Amino acid sequence: MDTHAKKRQVIAIIDAMRPELEAISLFLHQNPELGGQEHQAAQRLMEAARQRNFTVQQAISGYETAFIAKKGHSGPKIAFLAEYDALPGLGHACGHNLIAAMSWGAAAAFAEVAGNQAVSCLIGCPAEETSGAKVSMANDGVFDELTAALIVHPGDANNLGGTSYASHPLQVTFRGRSAHVASKTDKGSNALDALVMFYQGLQQLRHTFTQENIIAGMITKGGVAPNIVPAEAEAKFTVRALSSYYLETTILPAVQRLAQGVALATGTAVETCHYEPLFKELLNHPKLLQLYQNNMMLLGEPVTRLKSQDADGSTDVGNVSHAVPTIHPDIVIGSPLTAHTPEFALAAGSPYAQERLLVGAKAMAMTAVDLLTTSL
């Protein structure tokens, strides 16, 4: 069977899977689970994989809800990445219910068409919105032997390319000494004053960097009562850049030096720690992008190619892309839409979105078919 015939077969298989894929998507949408707690979602996906004779390994890289389902024994190893965690108070406002269904549909269809010519993998990746299981999985070598990794994200356009911000969130805690604010003999050491000085200094510091960056934060602890000098003040900051190398070697050291300088100037002590792991920038693989674009065109789907430095948000898929050729395109489920909003959550459960997930699944599986005869 030639490549075109295999692609037609992929399309037919996914069309036949429509009731199953919609049921998975809507089940996840109606039963949202937070990162690391996605027991129902993971179980639903693993059961679907077992029914199609995938071998399933559960509890990966310290995450009980992470899994690897695979079928096939030789040839290129193609992974379709499933995300399935929801957002607190919003549910599936990032459309991970659709991502899970798309990736499963692609993995199942590709496995059936490829037979013994390839290994089809569905890799269940929890906690994308928080600790990012893919970070630990990448560190543990889960993706190292793959030929390619694919994942499609719902959005308000068929976007292809671009990147994501490298992100390494930072918690900063200043510690001083409490006292009564009216004391004439003991003024204490005001940790909140130190934190405010640091916060203001950050606004100036970020303009000194030569590469695009984002530094934003909020005060999470500022004292216990207005008549007591705060002994401890704490803030959390999102710190991002287009390059994880620049972020780790230039931006974060400068932020930490600023914190130390403020502590010295105010007679306080300071402690910094990362409360979430490093999400690296996304490296979309050019040849894989072109194959995907060709298949979207075959499906009658126009795409918009983004510039390589066009960044939007952060994702642990970036860490995967530093280990294996990866793509992370968007597929339109409505417009205008902004992720992490109630409107996006509503769109992710709409009948239109359930139709669109079939397109994403087909495009990924067809791209995997290309990799049976195309090297990257």
Side-chain angles (χ1 to χ4, degrees), residues 16-274:
M17 290 181 70
R18 178 172 184 165
E20 176 186 351
L21 299 179
E22 287 188 5
I24 289 172
S25 170
L26 293 175
F27 176 81
L28 269 59
H29 192 268
Q30 294 161 9
N31 298 276
E33 299 167 293
L34 301 181
Q37 303 173 31
E38 317 96 321
H39 299 286
Q40 293 184 84
Q43 191 60 43
R44 185 73 178 253
L45 291 165
M46 289 188 292
E47 181 57 32
R50 291 188 182 101
Q51 288 180 0
R52 290 183 180 263
N53 297 316
F54 279 66
T55 59
V56 179
Q57 179 185 358
Q58 190 176 358
I60 307 297
S61 297
Y63 286 86
E64 186 179 347
T65 53
F67 66 87
I68 301 172
K70 61 183 179 180
K71 190 174 183 180
H73 301 286
S74 61
K77 297 179 180 179
I78 313 301
F80 305 92
L81 308 181
E83 297 173 352
Y84 32 84
D85 59 322
L87 291 158
L90 289 172
H92 278 290
C94 207
H96 291 186
N97 60 304
L98 299 167
I99 293 175
M102 282 189 282
S103 290
W104 164 235
F110 178 62
E112 185 171 336
V113 169
N116 292 323
Q117 293 181 279
V119 180
S120 180
C121 303
L122 177 71
I123 301 184
C125 307
E128 190 274 338
E129 299 290 357
T130 53
S131 58
K134 298 184 205 69
V135 176
S136 298
M137 297 166 84
N139 290 341
D140 290 344
V142 168
F143 310 106
D144 287 354
E145 296 183 2
L146 297 175
T147 303
L150 300 90
I151 178 172
V152 173
H153 200 292
D156 64 357
N158 288 340
N159 288 331
L160 194 62
T163 184
S164 65
Y165 289 102
S167 171
H168 207 174
L170 190 70
Q171 178 176 294
V172 180
T173 306
F174 283 91
R175 294 186 175 87
R177 184 170 55 82
S178 64
H180 195 289
V181 295
S183 173
K184 298 184 184 301
T185 58
D186 185 0
K187 299 300 182 182
S189 180
N190 196 314
L192 181 58
D193 283 351
L195 180 57
V196 170
M197 183 184 296
F198 171 74
Y199 185 94
Q200 293 171 331
L202 273 182
Q203 310 314 308
Q204 301 301 317
L205 179 64
R206 64 182 300 267
H207 295 296
T208 68
F209 299 125
T210 59
Q211 294 187 19
E212 184 179 343
N213 64 87
I214 297 172
I215 302 177
M218 65 176 185
I219 294 175
T220 53
K221 183 185 295 184
V224 294
N227 61 346
I228 300 174
V229 174
E232 184 173 282
E234 177 187 281
K236 289 185 175 180
F237 297 90
T238 181
V239 188
R240 308 186 189 199
L242 288 176
S243 160
S244 53
Y245 179 80
Y246 189 76
L247 177 66
E248 295 293 295
T249 63
T250 300
I251 294 179
L252 284 168
V255 169
Q256 289 163 344
R257 286 194 299 270
L258 173 64
Q260 292 293 340
V262 168
L264 184 63
T266 57
T268 58
V270 67
E271 178 183 351
T272 62
C273 68
H274 294 289

Side-chain angles (χ1 to χ4, degrees), residues 286-306:
K287 190 169 183 179
L288 200 52
L289 279 178
Q290 188 59 55
L291 293 173
Y292 180 89
Q293 180 174 349
N294 294 345
N295 288 307
M296 285 290 279
M297 292 175 64
L298 288 174
L299 293 168
E301 294 283 336
V303 301
T304 299
R305 287 294 290 260
L306 303 178

